[in-house]
Amino acid sequence: MEAKDIHQLLVNRFHDRIKDFQENTFPNAVVVDGSSIVEVCGFLKNEPGMEFTSLISISGVDLKEQSKLMVAYHLGSMQHKHKIVLKVETDRNNPHVPTIEMLWRGANWYEREAYDLYGIIFDGNSDLRRILLPDDWEGYPMRKDYVYPKRYHTWNV
Amino acid sequence: MGVLENSLPPNMLFTTVDKFLNWSKKSSLWYMLFATACCGIELMQAGASRYDLDRFGSVFRATPRQSDLIIVAGTITHKMADRVKKLYDQMPSPKYVIAMGSCANTGGPFFKDSYSVLKGVDQIIPVDVYVPGCPPRPEALIDGIIKLQQKIMEKKNLVKS
Amino acid sequence: MTQVDERFMYVNMGPQHPSTHGVLRLLLKTDGEIVEHATPHIGYLHRGLEKIAERVTFPQFTPFTDRLDYLASMNCNLAYALTVEKLLNIEIPRRAQIIRVIMAELNRISSHLIAFGSFSSDMGAFTPFLYGIREREFINDLFEMVCGNRLTYNYIRIGGVSKDIPDGFIEKTKEFLDYFPAKLKEYNEVLSYNAVFVKRLANVGVITTDQAIEYGITGPNLRASGIKWDLRREEPYLIYNELDFDVPVGKGEMGTIGDSWDRYMMRIYEMGQSARIVGQCLDMLPQGDFTAKVPKVLRVPQGEVYVRAENPRGELGFYLISDGSIKPYRLKIRAPSFANLSIFPLLAKGVMVADIVALIGSLDIILPEIDR
């Protein structure tokens, strides 16, 4: 199924909670309201004809100029071989996104990674700890305005 | 050959205590299996049949308690740095360190732009020999081990320096 | 871990442990010999590659992809080059495409050789490890001929490859292809069907098809669970759609579909298929350019792509956002081992401590790719 048709189906079902459709990206992206990401993902995963059974990845993106953080969910279907990107935007100063761990258990680590590097808090994640950096690390290094620290423990960074 | 040597039975050699001690140290440099990144593969290949590090008396041990030499093969991050120190502390003396590859020497390609890579393992533990390369070829590592052996041979054990 | 339960013993495995394939740390909660729970701790090799990508130019990032999965540098180079080329929208000469396939498949073999060798030494058989390295040295020599390095090649660049293949390369590769199938047979005789080896692996760490999809497992580990999914077939890139090769799938020959033995065996089968592909490519190699014309200062048009390729360990994807400048705005690396390891706590529940080593080895993870 074409991403355009999927977008249309989503709009029919979720109305104004589905925002933009980005045609110039590959795969095409749909911007979704943060509060309904779980429902949208659940719909895409289970609806016959869609069967987006694979969660390919979850990536954080810093949209500094719009003062927002974005989470991009790449979904794919092994059965129908189509792909789509769902995007959720959240406030840069207080980033909260609901977890989708109950749909794909593999999401847990991706969400922890986005938390670790961007500081996006995934509400409901069962184990939201730093995953790559040490527990006592300060700041979220993938943010565009991150300043590298001078010292860590007893040595220079 | 002096008169003294001819008057003694065979299989007897003369040397200084220093030389004997150093020779025995350098001839059994057991290295710890400590590979963090890319250099670890070259370390493995250096230990395998083509390059055969065993020729120099170097065989790998799985634990620091049995090792004389730690070859820091690969990138050390800030999260890992404390563990390296701990491993080094667990090794019995005399102990030696080879920093293998650019990452262990200086941070290598990650020097400028990375926030999480330690810029040189010598900030954490004392290094005897630096082997450059990214990664160094097994020949380079072998050269590093020979250099370390030369360094060991120059040590004075009985005289306070 | 916050609470310590005194009925159990806690064993810390790693980050320095010879059989964790790098700096993986596992915290095992054990009840006698049985593992109650295993918690992987990763990040001991987190080098901040994604941040580096935002600070260097597009071509400058290629050497960093070498260090992403150093056992399969060519494949990582390839996936990155494909990503940038997708945004640039340029045509790659056919000769370059075929050279890329040859290199990617040779690297797949050499990566699987390490998987085979280190797995066998994890299982207590050291000799097959030496066999694996012996054949790997052959491939290393081939790569040294084309690019001068043994491990980090930086050979497949944006637009093509860095230089044409040298004289004698084709003959030497053919020599390898003649030599290799007999060695594969030897591996099977020495290790694969060895009774002790099979006993240790069959029915251990079974990943069912549903679990595999739910955790996003890809590559040989996914195929071992019985799903015929290979990006070279499903989303053909380069010239893979013209090539004749099979996609091996786990059949549960020694036990259950998706057990550790199946995962191990996928790699042996795939090496044979990769050798087949290389043979076909050598025969169809045309004359022509080895690289397309790419400007020295590369400005990548504004846009956003996700491109994936089949790596020896699974699906390596790059999610690239470009704002039209000479540097990527955001480059997310979707690493196969990251997803493959995330299933580990589930697999490790209720197995013996000795099986932990078999599990890690059969998943064939590589840490720099997980930590990035």
Side-chain angles (χ1 to χ4, degrees):
Chain A
M1 202 185 289
E2 293 294 315
K4 209 169 189 147
D5 305 331
I6 298 170
H7 174 247
Q8 201 51 51
L9 276 171
L10 286 175
V11 169
N12 292 346
R13 170 114 186 191
F14 295 96
H15 310 292
D16 56 342
R17 284 181 287 170
I18 305 294
K19 291 169 185 166
D20 287 351
F21 177 64
Q22 298 175 342
E23 227 168 341
N24 52 352
T25 64
F26 174 83
N28 296 146
V30 177
V31 183
V32 179
D33 189 64
S35 55
S36 49
I37 183 70
V38 181
E39 281 175 70
V40 175
C41 284
F43 173 75
L44 288 176
K45 187 184 177 189
N46 299 320
E47 182 75 8
M50 304 273 198
E51 273 119 358
F52 281 95
T53 46
S54 311
L55 173 70
I56 298 169
S57 81
I58 299 176
S59 342
V61 180
D62 187 357
L63 306 173
K64 187 161 173 268
E65 277 166 23
Q66 301 157 41
S67 176
K68 276 181 181 158
L69 288 173
M70 185 178 82
V71 183
Y73 300 81
H74 286 78
L75 307 180
S77 166
M78 284 185 179
Q79 200 180 334
H80 306 292
K81 296 185 188 170
H82 49 216
K83 281 183 292 188
I84 199 160
V85 188
L86 300 179
K87 287 180 175 176
V88 170
E89 287 172 0
T90 175
D91 184 37
R92 200 154 183 275
N93 299 317
N94 184 24
H96 280 271
V97 178
T99 179
I100 55 162
E101 199 190 334
M102 59 295 231
L103 295 169
W104 290 280
R105 277 185 287 179
N108 186 326
W109 276 28
Y110 289 119
E111 290 180 354
R112 278 178 71 187
E113 189 197 321
Y115 165 72
D116 191 359
L117 302 178
Y118 283 95
I120 301 167
I121 294 163
F122 288 88
D123 297 316
N125 186 304
S126 60
D127 190 24
L128 201 64
R129 289 178 291 125
R130 282 199 182 269
I131 186 168
L132 296 175
L133 287 161
D135 291 335
D136 58 354
W137 193 268
E138 280 171 21
Y140 303 108
M142 285 299 288
R143 290 197 183 192
K144 291 280 178 190
D145 53 2
Y146 178 73
V147 183
Y148 287 15
K150 291 268 179 294
R151 301 274 292 173
Y152 178 71
H153 286 189
T154 54
W155 55 84
N156 296 328
V157 167
Chain B
M1 285 295 170
V3 181
L4 192 59
E5 281 171 31
N6 289 334
S7 67
L8 291 167
N11 301 336
M12 187 170 281
L13 294 168
F14 283 91
T15 181
T16 60
V17 177
D18 263 347
K19 259 195 190 153
F20 173 72
L21 288 175
N22 288 337
W23 168 81
S24 58
K25 274 180 212 160
K26 79 151 199 189
S27 311
S28 67
L29 278 175
W30 290 3
Y31 62 93
M32 178 168 51
L33 266 186
F34 178 65
T36 58
C38 331
C39 295
I41 304 299
E42 290 295 65
L43 177 61
M44 270 161 62
Q45 308 216 118
S49 34
R50 187 191 269 185
Y51 297 97
D52 195 15
L53 266 183
D54 294 17
R55 290 179 291 162
F56 304 94
S58 285
V59 290
F60 61 83
R61 307 304 298 173
T63 154
R65 309 262 183 210
Q66 300 172 344
S67 329
D68 311 295
L69 168 66
I70 173 170
I71 299 177
V72 183
T75 319
I76 302 296
T77 60
H78 296 310
K79 195 173 180 179
M80 189 69 194
D82 287 331
R83 321 291 163 131
V84 179
K85 175 86 177 116
K86 195 168 271 177
L87 285 169
Y88 179 74
D89 289 343
Q90 284 176 350
M91 286 164 57
S93 284
K95 52 190 169 187
Y96 307 96
V97 179
I98 291 183
M100 178 183 182
S102 303
C103 287
N105 290 347
T106 64
F110 309 102
F111 180 82
K112 185 161 163 277
D113 294 313
S114 178
Y115 51 85
S116 58
V117 170
L118 183 70
K119 315 274 184 313
V121 76
D122 47 9
Q123 288 196 58
I124 305 293
I125 54 176
V127 175
D128 291 287
V129 176
Y130 297 86
V131 181
C134 189
R137 299 174 58 90
E139 289 95 330
L141 177 64
I142 289 171
D143 185 51
I145 287 186
I146 293 171
K147 285 272 184 315
L148 179 64
Q149 289 182 336
Q150 287 168 0
K151 188 175 171 179
I152 292 170
M153 282 310 282
E154 284 162 15
K155 175 120 201 287
K156 298 268 182 284
N157 293 286
L158 299 177
V159 187
K160 268 190 190 158
S161 56
Chain C
M1 183 193 60
T2 46
Q3 284 167 330
V4 174
D5 188 338
E6 286 185 1
R7 288 171 300 162
F8 300 104
M9 189 165 85
Y10 293 86
V11 182
N12 187 34
M13 185 174 170
Q16 192 272 329
H17 189 282
S19 65
T20 52
H21 293 230
V23 282
L24 171 67
R25 177 176 156 226
L26 295 171
L27 191 63
L28 307 176
K29 180 178 161 190
T30 59
D31 181 7
E33 273 291 293
I34 308 293
V35 176
E36 238 2 83
H37 190 75
T39 320
H41 289 260
I42 60 175
Y44 289 95
L45 197 55
H46 175 60
R47 307 192 269 205
L49 282 181
E50 289 173 6
K51 187 76 178 178
I52 292 173
E54 293 173 10
R55 294 164 65 111
V56 297
T57 63
F58 283 94
Q60 275 176 348
F61 190 67
T62 313
F64 289 99
T65 60
D66 281 324
R67 285 142 187 92
L68 184 61
D69 172 357
Y70 44 73
L71 289 177
S73 300
M74 289 284 189
N75 300 67
C76 294
N77 285 173
L78 174 61
Y80 177 67
L82 288 172
T83 311
V84 181
E85 283 156 11
K86 177 101 189 169
L87 265 183
L88 284 173
N89 209 2
I90 48 174
E91 185 76 18
I92 308 302
R94 190 170 164 81
R95 184 175 173 87
Q97 293 197 15
I98 295 178
I99 295 176
R100 282 174 168 195
V101 174
I102 295 173
M103 297 307 159
E105 295 306 319
L106 281 175
N107 212 165
R108 192 183 308 275
I109 296 175
S110 80
S111 167
H112 284 342
L113 282 171
I114 289 277
F116 158 80
S118 56
F119 188 40
S120 71
S121 74
D122 287 349
M123 294 293 98
F126 192 66
T127 315
F129 170 78
L130 295 174
Y131 289 0
I133 297 281
R134 180 184 64 194
E135 270 71 82
R136 194 184 147 83
E137 289 283 358
F138 207 130
I139 299 176
N140 278 354
D141 285 349
L142 291 173
F143 286 154
E144 210 179 333
M145 277 174 85
V146 295
C147 68
N149 208 338
R150 287 163 47 86
L151 196 65
T152 47
Y153 312 113
N154 190 15
Y155 179 65
I156 298 175
R157 307 258 177 100
I158 297 164
V161 294
S162 69
K163 39 181 113 44
D164 210 346
I165 52 173
D167 295 340
F169 176 81
I170 293 176
E171 291 73 29
K172 191 125 192 255
T173 312
K174 283 196 169 141
E175 198 184 310
F176 173 74
L177 295 179
D178 291 340
Y179 157 92
F180 190 58
K183 297 296 162 191
L184 274 181
K185 207 160 152 257
E186 189 179 325
Y187 298 162
N188 283 340
E189 283 163 7
V190 171
L191 192 67
S192 308
Y193 296 102
N194 179 307
V196 181
F197 188 71
V198 172
K199 272 252 156 69
R200 277 206 65 179
L201 297 180
N203 299 320
V204 170
V206 178
I207 303 181
T208 63
T209 45
D210 289 347
Q211 284 169 350
I213 293 176
E214 181 148 352
Y215 278 90
I217 286 176
T218 46
N221 297 334
L222 177 71
R223 294 191 280 278
S225 296
I227 304 167
K228 201 167 186 168
W229 179 264
D230 188 324
L231 291 173
R232 292 174 292 173
R233 273 270 176 268
E234 306 300 332
E235 288 179 1
Y237 47 96
L238 299 176
I239 55 149
Y240 278 112
N241 51 1
E242 298 168 31
L243 297 168
D244 178 30
F245 64 98
D246 300 329
V247 177
V249 178
K251 296 197 183 70
E253 278 172 71
M254 292 294 155
T256 325
I257 293 179
D259 61 5
S260 299
W261 192 87
D262 265 351
R263 285 199 289 278
Y264 157 83
M265 207 56 194
M266 281 309 107
R267 303 196 160 86
I268 300 285
Y269 290 144
E270 281 188 14
M271 282 195 271
Q273 295 304 322
S274 292
R276 253 177 88 187
I277 294 174
V278 175
Q280 290 169 40
C281 287
L282 287 178
D283 291 336
M284 61 203 276
L285 193 66
Q287 292 300 320
D289 288 335
F290 59 88
T291 178
K293 280 212 164 52
V294 179
K296 279 257 159 51
V297 180
L298 191 64
R299 276 182 198 283
V300 174
Q302 200 172 3
E304 185 178 321
V305 285
Y306 176 81
V307 176
R308 50 188 185 173
E310 185 75 23
N311 250 36
R313 281 164 193 77
E315 171 184 332
L316 177 72
F318 286 95
Y319 175 42
L320 173 66
I321 303 177
S322 169
D323 58 357
S325 71
I326 53 170
K327 296 174 182 176
Y329 182 79
R330 168 77 167 116
L331 184 76
K332 153 87 184 182
I333 303 160
R334 189 262 183 227
S337 299
F338 187 82
N340 292 355
L341 184 65
S342 67
I343 200 175
F344 189 78
L346 183 84
L347 291 185
K349 200 170 171 54
V351 302
M352 309 283 271
V353 174
D355 291 339
I356 290 286
V357 176
L359 281 177
I360 304 172
S362 72
L363 286 173
D364 186 26
I365 51 163
I366 185 152
L367 267 297
E369 189 180 69
I370 295 174
D371 296 343
R372 282 157 286 150

